Each structure stands twice: as structure tokens, then as C-alpha cells.
Amino acid sequence: MLNKYVKTCLVMMPLLGLSACTTLGPDFQPLEAKKLPDSWKNSASDSDSKSDSESELEQTMQASAQWWKQFNDPTLNLLVERANTQNLDIEAAGLRILQARMILGISDSLNYPQVQVASGSLAKVYRNESSLNSAALSFDAGWEMDIWGKYARGVEASEATLYASIASYNDIAVTITSEVARNYINFRTFQERVLLSRRNIQIQQRVVHITQVQYDSGNVTELDVQQAKSQLYTTKAALPSLKLGMMQARNALAVLLGVMPGEIVLMLESEQLKAKVDAYNIEYGRADTKRTMTDENTESIVPTPPMLDASIDASLVMRRPDLQVAELLAHAQSAKIGSAEAALYPSFSLFGSIGINSNTPSGSSFSFSDSLTLSAGPSFSWNIFQYGRIKNNVRLEDARLQEALTNYNKKVLLAVQEVSGALESYSLYREQKALRMSSVNASVRAFNISMTQYENGQIGFERLLNSVEKMTRSEDSYAQIKGNVANQVVALYKSLGGGWQINNGKAFISDATRELMRQRTDWGDVLDEPQLLPVLGNKPAVADIQQTSAQLSIKGGNE
């Protein structure tokens, strides 16, 4: 009997040696950097100035890591911090990381015996006029050896998907941060336009009063009075739409922060803002009717954006989290080709079963002394008549890989488009802002002159009315263009993929969520420790993500 088991082991040992002896399918190679616009700088293009370029690149990365702080607006800083903690899209992205960890654990467990089943039965069997009592109990185990790397490729695909979920988390953080800044700038822009509108309404009410006095004195006709009132009502009618814009921006911020609109109001109203509004009103209302000229130092409600360099380092664009997501998904798809190819070859397994099976006449006791069964040995299976199904499945996975690579190339082009568009738009809006400021200066000066001349009877009312209308339009346009310039700064930093660093090392699942999940489902010790994001540098490169998240993936894989 012992010799039989020895022979069985000798047969099985070569099969064990075959396990994971080869891995089918292509080995994924990191994608080569794409050729970017020649007008952009490249820190690796000139060896003589490489150190200086790398230093500039490092400074740019440091600036982009928390770019919103360059606006020097405490309220904006608070909103961004709260959004990265409370935003529901970010919370969902954190839960997708946890899901990817569990999928990796499932893939990793396939390297162990896939079949481990304990079964039993107890039955009463009737045969003609007699009956039997039947009892059976068995334990079966089976292990398909990973000779062709099918399961190894599955683990590789799951790991790449896990890393992609981390990069996706960073990408969502970039989007949420930029949306918070954009909506905040829009809110302040509408707020400034409301202040301007109210101030111009006061001026136009004064003009109506002066015109009414002139009419009562017989100096002008009723037409002048009605025209002044018409312009006043037109300006008043525009005020509700500006307030509507404020409300929409405020509500958008509330959604981004995961709070009710009433809560966001308290964040947007601060003592610092009240002081700025007071200074703004003083600057724009030093006289009852006549306006003072404006310049670059005028108090503004719209956040003041930082000055940007017209050039950009090409390598910075390639570090966008969304490009890392695309590359990692291509990696995962590449591994699936090997898993599909393994089906072309025979699969080898080891199986074993031990159990008891006893049948006794009714009324008799079970006897298990001679009912023990034991079986063990190797087996194999091979889909020899697959009629092209497996090959076509391999081709399908390869086509999907090529699609993933094509999508990556498209994302690179979109990244270049976004950066180029943001840079050019910023430059053009800056130019437009300077011209708009000159227009405001001229319109304010024209209003001051026309008001004096009208009061002295030197000009007719139509010229005064025309100057009031032009001043109102030019000031509103200037406020809008200030918001456009600030939003282009936001667009540029978003296109560079900046802002995800704020979440370095933070928990991607909140304590409250972990506790809720633990009460609902048996998580063992998987959720006992805080689920922390890997601490990365200023570039979420694929290699960095893989290296720093390796411990996280292994811990989540074998729980």
C-alpha cells in the first residue's frame, strides 16, 4: 500500500515542477513618451541645460501641487480642503479602490487549490418492498496548476486595475478641485457684477431725479424723463439674472462639498469678504453721481490669479493621472491576452478525495469500518475541438488591447489640446482684460464729463444717457473678463493634472463608512487599519504607483 502512494507521489512531482513554468501572452512594456509640441520645453532635450530645466520643472510641480493657494484666498483654500474630504465622487472613487483590492484577492486565491468541498448526505432508500439507510461524507480537493500562467496573468491584470483605480482617484481629485475653484470664481464674479449693477442703479436713479427736476423746471421734455426711467428699469431687470448666476454657482459648490446650500452660504460669507466689499463700494462710490476712474489696483471681489509662464515643460503633461489610468488599463488588458491563450493548451490538475459511504438495512446501525474511500492523482483536460472559439477569443483580447492603446494616444492629444488651449486663452484674455480696463477708464471719464456738461446745460440728455449706458456695459464686461482670466488659470492647472497631491497618505475610506460596512458585513481585519492612499511624489507615474501601493495590494489580496 505504501509503495502505491510512493509511486503516486513520484508521478505527481514532475507535474508540480511544471506549475508556472511559463507565462503565455505579451509582457507589457511602459508606453513611450509621445512627441509633444516643439514650442514646449523639454527638460531632457538639452544635456547642457538639463539641470536648470529639471529645477524649473520641480518648481512648476511644486506650484501645481496646491495651485489654488496662489490666489491668496482663504475661503477658496477652505472650500478645496473640504471638497477633497467630503465630495461624494471622491468617496465613491475610494470605494472603487477597495473593490479593486478585493478583486485582486480573488485573483490571487486562484493560485491555491480551486476546489475544496466538504459534502455529505443522509437518505432513506426504498427498493421494492425493502428499504435502506444511506449515509455519505466526503472531502474533495482539486488544484489546476498554473503551467501556462493563466492565473498569473489574472493577478497581473487585477494588480494593474488596482493601480488604475488609485490613479483614477487622483484624476477625480484633480477634476473636483478645479470645479470648486471654477464655481467659486464664477460666484465671486457674479457677486462683483451685482455690486456694480446696484451701484449703477443708484447712479441712474440720481440721473432720473436730475432729469425730473429739469422737466419740472421746463428745461427738458417728458421724453428725457421716460428715457432715463427706461434705462433704469433695464439695468434693474438685469439684476435678477446676476443673482441667479450667484445661486447656481453656490449650489454647484454645495454639491461638490456634499453639503446643503445653506451650509455653503456660511463659508462664502466671512469678515474678510465684508471688508473687501466695503472697500470695493468705497472705491466705486466716492461721489453721489460721478464715478472715479479704475486701474489695476482697484479692489476686486474676483480672486486675483497668479501670473503664468507662457511656456510649459512637456514632461509635466505626461504625468497627468488620467494618462496613467489609460496606460494601466492597457496593461491590464495586455495580461488578459495571456489568460485567453492558456485555453489553447491542456490544463493539468491534481485531485484528491476522502470520504465514507455506507448503506445498511432499515433498523440497523451504520458501520463505517469498511466504507472509507480515498482517491488521489493527476488529471488533464484539453479543448481539442474548439472550432476557432479560443483563437478568436485571443484575437478579441488583442483587439481590445489595441483599442486601449489607441485611447491612450487620444488622451495624450486631448491633454496637449487642453494645455495649449488654456495657455493661449490665458494670454488672449489678459490682452482683452487690459483693453477692457482702458474702455472702463474712458467710459467713466466720459460719464463724468457728460454729467458736468449736462448739469451746466452744455449738452442734451441723449449724450448723457449714452455715456451712462456705455459705462454700465464696460464695467460689467470688465468684471466678466477678470473672471475669465482667473478661470483660465484654473483650466491650465487642471490640464497639467495638478492638485491630486493634497490627498497623499490620506484615508480613502472615512471612519464612518468603514464602521457602517463593518456592521453590515464580516470584513475580518481588512478594515481594522485606516485605508490610506500611497504617498507619491509630484508625479503619479506608473512605476511610482506600483511601488508605493504594492504593500496595500498584497495586504488586500490574501485576507
Side-chain angles (χ1 to χ4, degrees), residues 240-290:
S241 64
L242 299 178
K243 291 181 178 179
L244 179 62
M246 285 183 63
M247 181 198 69
Q248 291 173 339
R250 181 199 65 201
N251 291 346
L253 286 171
V255 173
L256 289 168
L257 267 68
V259 298
M260 292 297 174
E263 298 180 49
I264 204 71
V265 171
L266 300 176
M267 300 182 192
L268 294 172
E269 296 177 355
S270 61
E271 292 298 326
Q272 182 183 19
L273 175 65
K274 292 179 180 178
K276 184 177 286 189
V277 171
D278 292 340
Y280 186 86
N281 288 330
I282 293 173
E283 178 71 17
Y284 276 78
R286 294 179 180 175
D288 290 338
T289 57
K290 298 180 182 179

Side-chain angles (χ1 to χ4, degrees), residues 36-139:
L36 299 175
D38 296 333
S39 59
W40 293 5
K41 296 184 299 182
N42 192 333
S43 59
S45 60
D46 186 356
S47 58
D48 294 335
S49 59
K50 184 175 181 180
S51 58
D52 294 338
S53 299
E54 289 179 347
S55 177
E56 293 178 6
L57 175 62
E58 184 65 25
Q59 293 176 0
T60 304
M61 289 192 299
Q62 292 292 342
S64 66
Q66 295 186 351
W67 53 265
W68 57 91
K69 291 187 176 181
Q70 299 180 59
F71 285 87
N72 296 316
D73 191 313
T75 302
L76 176 58
N77 296 342
L78 175 63
L79 292 175
V80 170
E81 181 181 351
R82 292 281 183 87
N84 278 274
T85 302
Q86 302 170 185
N87 180 265
L88 299 181
D89 288 329
I90 292 180
E91 181 178 350
L95 292 170
R96 286 193 291 274
I97 294 177
L98 184 61
Q99 294 169 32
R101 288 180 58 188
M102 299 306 102
I103 292 174
L104 175 59
I106 294 172
S107 298
D108 185 61
S109 66
L110 294 176
N111 287 310
Y112 302 93
Q114 296 89 8
V115 178
Q116 302 174 68
V117 179
S119 60
S121 65
L122 180 63
K124 194 172 188 67
V125 182
Y126 291 93
R127 293 178 181 174
N128 298 326
E129 296 180 357
S130 64
S131 61
L132 298 173
N133 291 329
S134 176
L137 181 65
S138 66
F139 175 76

